[in-house]
Amino acid sequence: MRLIITATMATLALASVARADGERIAVFTKNQTNPFFQVVRLGADNAARQMGATVTHYIPTRPDSIPEQISQIEDVTVRRPNAVVFTPVDFKALTPAIRRLNEAGIPAVNMTDRAERGNFVAFVGAADYDLALTTARYLFQKMGGQGNVVALEGIKGTLVSTERMRGFTDALKEFPNIKVVATQAASFQRLAALQVMENLIQAHPRIEGIFAANDAMATGAIEALEAAKRQSLVVGINGTKEAIDAIKAGKMLASGDYSAFLHGCFGMMAAIRNLRGLPVPREIVFPARVVDNTNYQSLDIAPDQMTCPAWDSVVTPGRS
């Protein structure tokens, strides 16, 4: 796998306190409702086991709760793990909490969702804009370049949702005969998407395509279509096992592969490598890839059976 790696190699911070193993790593993710983050956590756990580290997971009990994640960061500054792997529930609102984490001297890796500010060892994730552009373009091509489409947004105002909708909009410019009949937010949640699509199906007798900004919403859209005995081409983003099963069953056209397991693997590896004085690129960005019924096999594995690939087999040092 080839990666997009930008910027120079990270400073070998903390080399003087490099450890052989036994590091304690705190991993922050956004919720327990999106299957994507469950797979991220499995990737982090797998990498930690391979490298002899221990993991504590911090997950808001209320999905994407800003106050709860702020409180969890305050807890971490007291407990002082060796490093943090961090996904902010909001790219702006967590800035003061990240500043406190930096002031506490705890090295942090930014994973999956970019934080607006803060000092991080590295960013590990995917390019939301590229994924949405590629996946939407694929949908429009499969629609034959014409017809009505619905877009399901994530949480309005978040960086992930904004970038994915920007990719969708730019792909749309290439297909002048595709008409957007509705764009509505469904908060990246399956149930919300189901309810939104139930209303849209009643309002619009023809919907040839549905672009969902994540797989959970795509699943909700499919459930609404099945209940109404309607058919549309549906795409999502994340490449979750749930999406792969839907693609195999012919219910879902495709998903943009967000590489959840690799996020966890390489977020954890980057944190540990930094502690051990090993080189870490400032950015590890996985390439955009559409998964459909021709190439899903590599992701058709139960997440708890996956194994993190070796660092050097994925990350190419020095590439910029």
Side-chain angles (χ1 to χ4, degrees), residues 261-276:
F261 193 76
L262 294 184
H263 285 205
C265 290
F266 286 87
M268 177 62 68
M269 289 182 191
I272 297 173
R273 285 175 63 89
N274 178 65
L275 291 171
R276 296 180 183 179

Side-chain angles (χ1 to χ4, degrees), residues 24-272:
R24 296 176 297 110
I25 312 296
V27 176
F28 286 73
T29 46
K30 297 169 65 174
N31 58 62
Q32 301 190 61
T33 55
N34 187 341
F36 173 85
F37 288 109
Q38 175 60 25
V39 180
V40 169
R41 290 188 284 270
L42 288 171
D45 291 347
N46 190 282
R49 281 197 299 274
Q50 289 189 28
M51 301 181 77
T54 59
V55 181
T56 302
H57 287 286
Y58 289 83
I59 312 165
T61 55
R62 290 186 56 205
D64 300 356
S65 169
I66 293 172
E68 200 168 342
Q69 192 173 66
I70 290 173
S71 175
Q72 290 173 338
I73 289 177
E74 290 171 351
D75 179 68
V76 159
T77 59
V78 174
R79 295 179 181 272
R80 300 194 64 81
N82 298 109
V84 165
V85 180
F86 184 71
T87 302
V89 299
D90 184 282
F91 78 110
K92 286 185 178 179
L94 269 295
T95 296
I98 294 168
R99 186 181 303 119
R100 287 195 289 277
L101 194 65
N102 291 155
E103 290 170 351
I106 301 171
V109 171
N110 184 192
M111 176 178 67
T112 302
D113 291 25
R114 288 182 187 272
E116 185 179 49
R117 294 181 182 176
N119 295 322
F120 293 100
V121 172
F123 171 77
V124 177
D128 290 291
Y129 170 83
D130 291 344
L131 267 176
L133 178 71
T134 304
T135 307
R137 185 182 286 152
Y138 178 89
L139 170 64
F140 300 153
Q141 289 170 343
K142 291 298 181 181
M143 291 171 61
Q146 58 186 354
N148 295 337
V149 68
V150 164
L152 298 176
E153 293 187 60
I155 300 173
K156 280 185 175 294
T158 63
L159 185 60
V160 171
S161 185
T162 300
E163 285 295 284
R164 290 185 181 182
M165 291 311 297
R166 189 166 69 87
F168 168 81
T169 301
D170 281 355
L172 194 63
K173 295 174 183 175
E174 302 171 9
F175 298 87
N177 294 322
I178 297 285
K179 179 183 178 184
V180 180
V181 295
T183 299
Q184 290 200 18
S187 303
F188 291 130
Q189 301 295 322
R190 180 196 63 78
L191 181 58
L194 168 63
Q195 294 167 339
V196 166
M197 282 307 307
E198 285 175 341
N199 294 329
L200 293 177
I201 286 171
Q202 291 183 10
H204 301 283
R206 289 182 51 238
I207 300 173
E208 280 77 26
I210 298 173
F211 173 88
N214 78 347
D215 288 339
M217 293 192 297
T219 301
I222 291 169
E223 291 178 18
L225 289 168
E226 290 179 338
K229 301 187 185 306
R230 292 269 294 269
Q231 291 188 335
S232 296
L233 298 177
V234 180
V235 298
I237 292 177
N238 283 350
T240 62
K241 184 62 170 65
E242 189 176 31
I244 299 306
D245 289 342
I247 290 170
K248 286 170 59 180
K251 298 180 178 181
M252 187 168 166
L253 177 64
S255 176
D257 181 13
Y258 205 44
S259 307
F261 193 76
L262 294 184
H263 285 205
C265 290
F266 286 87
M268 177 62 68
M269 289 182 191
I272 297 173

